[in-house]
Amino acid sequence: MTGTGTLIRLILRRDRVLLPLWAILVALIPAGYASSFKGLFPTAADLAGYARVSMSSPGFIALYGPLRGDSLGEIVAWRAGFFPVIIGLISLLTVIRHTRTEEEAGRTELIGSGIVGRHAAFAAALITTVGANLVLFAIISVTMIGQGQPVGGSVLLGLSFALSGCVFAALGAVTAQLSGSARTARSIAIVVLGVAFVLRLAGDVDTGVSWLSWVSPIGWVQHVFAYGENDVLPLLLALLLVAGLVVLGSVLVSRRDVGEGLIAARPGPATGTISGPIGLAWRLHRGVLTGWILGFAALGLVFGGVASSIADLAADNSDLAAILRRLGGNSFLVGMIAVLGLIAAAYGVQAALRLRDEEATGHTEAILATPVGRLRWLASHVVFSLLGPAAALLVGGLLCGLTAGGHQLATVLGAAAAQLPAVWVLTALTVLLFGAFPRQASAAWGAVAACFLILMMGAVLGLDQWVLDLSPFTHVGHGLSATPFVTLTAIAAVLATAGTLAFRHRDIPSA
Amino acid sequence: MTEAIGVTGLVKSFGRTQVLNGLDLHVEAGEVHGFLGPNGAGKSTTIRILLGLMRRSGGDVRLLGGDPWSDATALHRRLAYVPGDVTLWPTLTGGEVIDLLGQLRGGLNRRRRDELLDRFDLDPRKKARTYSKGNRQKVALVAALASDAELLILDEPTSGLDPLMEEVFRQVVLEEHRRGGRTVLLSSHILTEVEALCHRLTIIREGRTVETGTLASLRHLTRTTIDAELVGAVNGLGTLPGVHDLRVDDHHVTFDVDTETLEPALRKLIDAGVRSLTSKPPTLEELFLRQYAR
Ligand SMILES: Nc1ncnc2c1ncn2[C@@H]1O[C@H](COP(=O)(O)OP(=O)(O)OP(=O)(O)O)[C@@H](O)[C@H]1O
Ligand SMILES: [Mg+2]
């Protein structure tokens, strides 16, 4: 553990903008919800009406979890029900970034040869991430109390969100030990997060299997019911899980060598059959593509299954507020497809950022020193970042439509197809950033986050229409319609072309 | 002889910092040309401009009779490159990487590939993630040397190789050169390697060419160390322009002398009567140290 302090300072120095930014930004939103709900529903009767509608809306329950009371605090806590997923995701990414990514880049070896204990990197990454979650906890509690909410509920709300961050930070610390590659470590952790979310969703929506939400750490966090039942037991479960994962992770750290994972690499073929840049791109993308398609298939099955177990969707939602309509109209399924669209955009951006990865690691230089031209190399990766999300959406939509019942298939597939051009706009934006501002290419994640915030929170926070309009997903119709499809596709084409032109004229590797 | 690489007055700046300030580099077809300079002198940058990966800010660059930026893909059919910092796709095996790069260059000589794998003692079935630095380097070397490219551009190709493998590399390059008369541009920090392989060399410093020529002509630029026992006193040695670090201790003198001044200096010694004399030939090391540090 010696040297942990030094490493913590190093992490704080490297993440001095990112870490406070997400912790503070995310932490301020519940109070923002509280103040805008006060405006939207000034009387207790208004609140009760909204709560009654929300409690019986499967779309809402799927995304945010169950709602049991109608006080302002309870409604805010419930409406922020997707936060554990976001906080968990950021936390696990942060931990893996400061453990396995560093190790893969060989920097851990450099540090490990100094006077730094073998658990130092593991401890430093965890301590900083837990610290960020404590900041988040403090801000949520204080700002909610500032909104006039009860102290007990505010503390528990902050605590439950912070603990969800800690659970997934610890999970990231464990998966970082399993594999030699940060990419694999991230994938495993994100899959676990996704499974936890889907279990919670299925358990909450389908009362026949409500025990499922108790298998998921995200479910625990929501069963605190802050401002209502204020149940502490689920938090104790989460705390135990954190402790267990930390112990497991630190045992794994002492069991393995620097640079290695527990999953050993096997020998492969002595000769290769990869032909051309597109063959190489296929090799590099196929694992991720398969993972996303399986993920979308699973989500499609769950969403479709949930939908079919709900008797009459349309009737239930007929009097829902405008907020639900923003989420993609008045049907549970179309709302879920909107969520799938955003997830597909995350995949598109991830696949397009492979371009930057390849350049930064020097692989692009090796390829472009052969007769392969820049355009051909760029296209080989862009193809996957455009068609990959399309394939994933198609599979997700197809399975969702089929399990929901045959008559839904056309609607659901249409809604999925309508998402595609918006996904492409974000992919193309990534290509533009890569071509013109390669060092800032990962800012594309900021764009995904912004679209996400606008979709999930724009209406509640009462953002101006022009802000909402910034997200391509705002312009997606509820079904397939020509104008947004063509316009968004054209915008994507322009962005991608600009990125390509910039790329053809710049130095490789760029400074 | 025709020129394989012709670089005149090359300028490259990154933003406000100018990294190459009028660099000259001329490589004849069929020769092995050493490219030397201290860390950060601009060797890799020059090579990236030659490969059309980076755009020159000024000056004139010709590669195999074409323009490296606008004719990049056509020119790359005729060359193979080993980057200074070899990184491989971690999930591909060494064999797959070699065959991929060969395939992209339009095919490689299979018999030769297997022979090279054998000589470099490289297991092609391992995942690139698990290769050591030296083994990664070997993958890139085998891929380049097994191609039939007429020009090899090698940026510090032996960094990380053990002495045995360095020796294999030298033999292979010599054989290659003898067989096909291939042109090689070899950037290196290893002087014995340069001495063993290169016909001519170019030394750069801070983005400028400071010396270029054959090894023999560069040796002329170096100093010989003389140590002599004399019969009588020597006169006027200190005033000769090419004599340095003169020490006279009774009848014993030591000094360094530039090649042009060697003859007049020896005359002075003979005039004083020589009892014994040792001369140490100039080493390349000294030449480089002086050129690098100047
Ligand atoms: N993309 C870039 N942006 C800014 N500066 C750069 C860039 N690439 C190289 N440099 C600078 O240009 C100079 C020359 O670098 P270069 O890599 O060409 O040196 P080199 O001669 O190959 O050195 P070495 O022997 O260490 O490999 C260095 O000072 C380096 O910092
Ligand atoms: Mg270099």
Side-chain angles (χ1 to χ4, degrees), chain A residues 268-270 272 358 361 365 507, chain B residues 12 81 87 89 93 99 113 125:
Chain A
E358 288 289 292
T361 45
E365 188 175 337
D507 288 345
Chain B
K12 173 71 190 174
Y81 167 53
T87 59
W89 294 271
T93 65
D99 291 349
R113 165 195 186 272
R125 289 170 311 150

Side-chain angles (χ1 to χ4, degrees), chain A residues 509-511, chain B residues 14 17 19 37-46 48 54 155-156 189 204:
Chain A
S510 85
Chain B
F14 294 108
T17 47
V19 168
N39 293 130
K43 301 180 295 294
S44 301
T45 305
T46 307
R48 287 191 173 122
M54 289 186 170
D155 193 355
E156 294 183 43
H189 288 299
I204 66 167

